[in-house]
């Protein structure tokens, strides 16, 4: 629990880290609308506690250990707001305009990290990524929820008309990028990480249905086609229409490029959920 300073200090003593990668966050927009307090506590207060624990630890380092230490803060493209009505991409210089309690608290955590870098000299780096997907994705998120609902013969709820566009980044591509940034990026740098896969939500859901027709044709009783389960529901408040990342900086500076296409990544993701029911059944 990153809000528990005593526990954080104990972890630093026990493990003596070279790098802190701050991925801990409440991240589901729907839940941030229903319960903003959890997001403020984890994303803002928790980030503050982790920064202070890191600063205290870093202050006690000497020599090369102090020079090499990094606090790597992992954030989201949602802090930049909405690209509706434009073909532009989010760059590292795009102004912040968060729309939801989730993205607002992540924006707040970004500002805290940069302030600790400037004011206290803590060696920080920041990355902002697009929508992740892949194995072990928590079932409340869009792609796993659609897979598991379809397998159960439940409705596949799509907000509005499903026209919202997201840039999808496979989790393994993201992990490779994070290691590069944590170990090679210059202190104070920000890098955007995206998958070059802009897809409408309705097309994501349709692609999942088509893959399940191929990979799991034994449908639940009464279901003729997985696509028949698609149900359009009232759009959520403040729903951003489009996110899209310009990842040219990390490609140019660190040589990173995504290895997965959306087609290959989605196929392997659907297959993973089919192969690992024990993991998601326990969560459900």
């Amino acid at each position: 629990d990153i809000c528990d300073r005593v526990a954080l200090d104990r972890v630093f003593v026990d493990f003596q880290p070279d790098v802190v990668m701050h991925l801990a966050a409440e991240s589901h927009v729907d839940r941030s609308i229903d319960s903003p307090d959890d997001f403020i506590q984890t994303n803002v207060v928790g980030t503050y506690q982790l920064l202070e624990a890191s600063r205290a630890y870093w202050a006690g380092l000497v020599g090369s250990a102090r020079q090499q230490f990094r606090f790597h803060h992992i954030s989201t493209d949602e802090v930049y707001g909405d690209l509706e009505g434009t073909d532009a991409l989010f760059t590292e210089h795009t102004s912040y305009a968060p729309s939801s309690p989730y993205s607002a608290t992540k924006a707040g955590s970004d500002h805290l990290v940069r302030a600790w870098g400037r004011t206290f000299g803590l060696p920080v780096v920041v990355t902002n990524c697009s929508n992740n997907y892949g194995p072990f994705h928590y079932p409340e998120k869009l792609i796993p929820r659609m897979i598991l609902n379809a397998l159960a013969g439940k409705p596949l709820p799509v907000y509005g008309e499903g026209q919202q566009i997201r840039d999808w980044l496979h989790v393994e591509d993201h992990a490779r990028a994070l290691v590069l940034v944590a170990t090679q990026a210059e202190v104070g740098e920000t890098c955007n990480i995206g998958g070059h896969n802009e897809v409408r939500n309705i097309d994501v859901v349709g692609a999942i249905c088509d893959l399940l027709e191929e990979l799991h044709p034994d449908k639940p009783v009464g279901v003729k086609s997985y696509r028949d389960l698609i149900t359009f529901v009232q759009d959520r408040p403040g729903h951003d229409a489009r996110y899209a990342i310009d990842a040219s900086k990390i490609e140019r500076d660190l040589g990173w490029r995504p290895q997965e296409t959306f087609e290959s990544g989605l196929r392997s993701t659907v297959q993973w959920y089919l192969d690992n029911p024990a993991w998601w059944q326990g969560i459900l």
Side-chain angles (χ1 to χ4, degrees), residues 4 6 9 15 36 54 61 87 103 114 142 144 158 163-165 173 176 180 192 205 256-258 269:
D4 185 342
V6 173
D9 288 339
F15 292 96
S54 299
L61 297 176
D87 293 329
S103 56
R114 294 190 176 102
L142 175 67
V158 176
Q163 299 302 304
Q164 301 86 3
I165 296 172
D173 281 327
R176 281 186 283 269
L180 280 173
N192 284 352
V205 178
W256 174 88
R257 283 175 177 76
T269 298

Side-chain angles (χ1 to χ4, degrees), residues 4-45:
D4 185 342
R5 176 63 189 274
V6 173
L8 288 175
D9 288 339
R10 186 167 59 247
V11 166
F12 277 92
V13 170
D14 290 346
F15 292 96
Q16 301 287 302
D18 304 301
V19 174
V20 173
M21 301 178 77
H22 176 23
L23 295 114
E26 292 285 355
S27 63
H28 196 266
V29 174
D30 289 353
R31 283 197 296 105
S32 81
I33 295 170
D34 295 335
S35 182
D37 178 75
D38 294 337
F39 289 71
I40 292 169
Q41 288 300 315
T42 296
N43 298 353
V44 179
V45 178

Side-chain angles (χ1 to χ4, degrees), residues 41-56:
Q41 288 300 315
T42 296
N43 298 353
V44 179
V45 178
T47 296
Y48 159 73
Q49 295 288 10
L50 186 56
L51 282 166
E52 283 293 85
S54 299
R55 184 163 72 100

Side-chain angles (χ1 to χ4, degrees), residues 153-203:
K154 295 180 179 179
L156 308 181
V158 176
Y159 282 128
E161 297 179 352
Q163 299 302 304
Q164 301 86 3
I165 296 172
R166 300 294 182 261
D167 173 24
W168 292 95
L169 173 66
H170 193 275
V171 65
E172 293 292 343
D173 281 327
H174 191 198
R176 281 186 283 269
L178 294 182
V179 171
L180 280 173
V181 172
T183 57
Q184 297 185 28
E186 295 293 326
V187 170
E189 286 293 309
T190 297
C191 289
N192 284 352
I193 307 171
H196 303 302
N197 293 304
E198 288 188 57
V199 188
R200 297 184 306 167
N201 285 349
I202 186 61
D203 295 330

Side-chain angles (χ1 to χ4, degrees), residues 52 55 58 111-124:
E52 283 293 85
R55 184 163 72 100
W58 172 68
H111 293 321
L112 287 175
V113 170
R114 294 190 176 102
W116 258 243
R118 175 156 182 159
T119 300
F120 301 114
L122 187 68
V124 303

